[in-house]
Amino acid sequence: MKEINVTVIGSGSTYCPELVDGFIKARGSLKLRKITFMDIDERKREIVGGLCVRMLEKAGLDCETLLTDDLGAALTGADFVVTQIRVGKLPARHLDETIPLKYGLIGQETTGIGGFFKALRTVPVMRDICQKIEEICPDAWLINFTNPSGIITEFVLNHTNVKNIGLCNVPINMLDDTREICGDDSEITYVGLNHLSWITSVKKGGVDLLLEMIRTGFSPKVMENIRDDGFSLETLKAIRAIPSSYLQYFYCRAAKLEHLLADEKSRAQVCMEIEEELLRLYSDVNMNEKPALLDKRGGHKYSLAAVSLIDSIANDKGDAHVVNIKNGGTLPFMAPDDVVEISAAVGKDGAKPVPVPDIGNRHIETMMRAVKAYEKYAVETAMTGSDETAMNALLVHPLVGDWEKALGCFTEMKEAHREYLPQFRF
């Protein structure tokens, strides 16, 4: 059994008990020698960390635990580093979701101009974390859950020397929902970028079931944090693929904007309420398991995705996971250094892309190239603080595109997030 040291950066996240629950369930193949809970928010670090420690004790896991705000101490001896940070916390997310509405733009935490600013706040912090990893534990694997996961992974893999795999719970939910209908022996082709992805083929016995699934109206369950506007049958027939629920922001943007304008509370405000209730529950010293309310935060199967990936690396399993990694030559219509979300065989040397059949879908190819161009601009903006590059990013993004709206919104959001944007001049 492989023994590992794990460091969780952003351990004050109320998702953290989900991760610990995953390690408890994986005790048959992974032995935690030490788990470190690192967060700069003392209140959340102590409350959430306290529950996590009680969960480990209840499960009888004999491992060392450390709660700290010291990044250097947290990284010392780490084999795996899990990042799940939120720079500016939920109040910053609230701004990401509400300021764009003034300009007739969708406000969302991972895509559009809201996701853009989350990336701008996050990349400088991730750069500091990666520099410390390179100094203190250069052989450690960074498993990144921090959103926007695709852009963060794009930065880490192309601008640092850290061994990194980007992860999201959207793929595992989509694949499980599909297998629930078609059987565990289904061969599923999944391609895209993080939060811009599709199932392009579902084969069973050599027969592709995709078009029949579309005809009968199949779609994976919508993530808890997304209002379901659905995809019309005509949409699915036109794109010839099953999109992830995040594509609703692209295919149903008018409806999404209408709902966001009508909602009394932003998703961030809803999450603040859920988070405070979770922290209240976690504070009970008699609680020693994750509560059902945690599922309302939208992180369903997050622990399964993270722990199974770590298990595959630690025990050199070579099994398949959908992850965010460099394309290489896997998708011929994307550049080799583009970070894409595809299936890969995962072992001790990391993730090696599984060959993808020619998807023959110009719609998907065009969407991926356009949004990847935006992501490249976003990384460059986050590193340089260039207003000009920022505007190029927003003009390329399918959810923005309008100069006057983009400029007005960018100017207001830049000022609103000033304390988290050290790369910019003010």
Side-chain angles (χ1 to χ4, degrees), residues 165-322:
I165 297 175
L167 203 54
C168 180
N169 65 328
V170 170
I172 195 170
N173 280 288
M174 286 185 69
L175 296 177
D176 283 355
D177 289 350
T178 304
R179 291 188 180 109
E180 187 178 311
I181 299 298
C182 301
D184 291 339
D185 57 344
S186 304
E187 298 176 23
I188 304 169
T189 302
Y190 176 108
V191 298
L193 309 178
N194 183 239
H195 290 185
L196 190 95
S197 56
W198 301 261
I199 289 174
T200 59
S201 176
V202 183
K203 289 186 177 180
K204 192 165 184 179
V207 177
D208 198 332
L209 309 176
L210 184 74
L211 293 181
E212 178 63 18
M213 293 171 69
I214 289 174
R215 189 189 67 78
T216 56
F218 170 81
S219 64
K221 299 181 184 72
V222 173
M223 302 299 292
E224 186 70 35
N225 57 324
I226 298 177
R227 178 169 178 157
D228 189 10
D229 288 302
F231 298 107
S232 70
L233 185 58
E234 289 74 20
T235 302
L236 299 179
K237 285 181 177 178
I239 65 175
R240 293 186 295 110
I242 297 171
S244 74
S245 49
Y246 278 92
L247 264 298
Q248 290 191 16
Y249 290 103
F250 293 80
Y251 299 155
C252 317
R253 68 184 73 179
K256 278 283 181 280
L257 183 58
E258 181 181 344
H259 295 325
L260 291 170
L261 287 166
D263 286 343
E264 292 183 3
K265 297 177 182 177
S266 68
R267 176 63 187 174
Q269 289 175 312
V270 173
C271 289
M272 288 180 207
E273 294 172 357
I274 295 172
E275 183 174 271
E276 282 305 312
E277 177 61 15
L278 285 169
L279 291 171
R280 186 189 67 79
L281 292 172
Y282 293 1
S283 297
D284 181 355
V285 295
N286 295 311
M287 174 171 276
N288 52 21
E289 58 186 14
K290 71 181 182 83
L293 180 63
L294 184 53
D295 291 339
K296 296 294 182 183
R297 280 288 277 114
H300 187 50
K301 297 184 180 176
Y302 146 71
S303 65
L304 180 59
V307 175
S308 61
L309 181 67
I310 291 172
D311 191 6
S312 294
I313 298 171
N315 290 302
D316 196 24
K317 289 189 170 181
D319 51 357
H321 298 260
V322 175

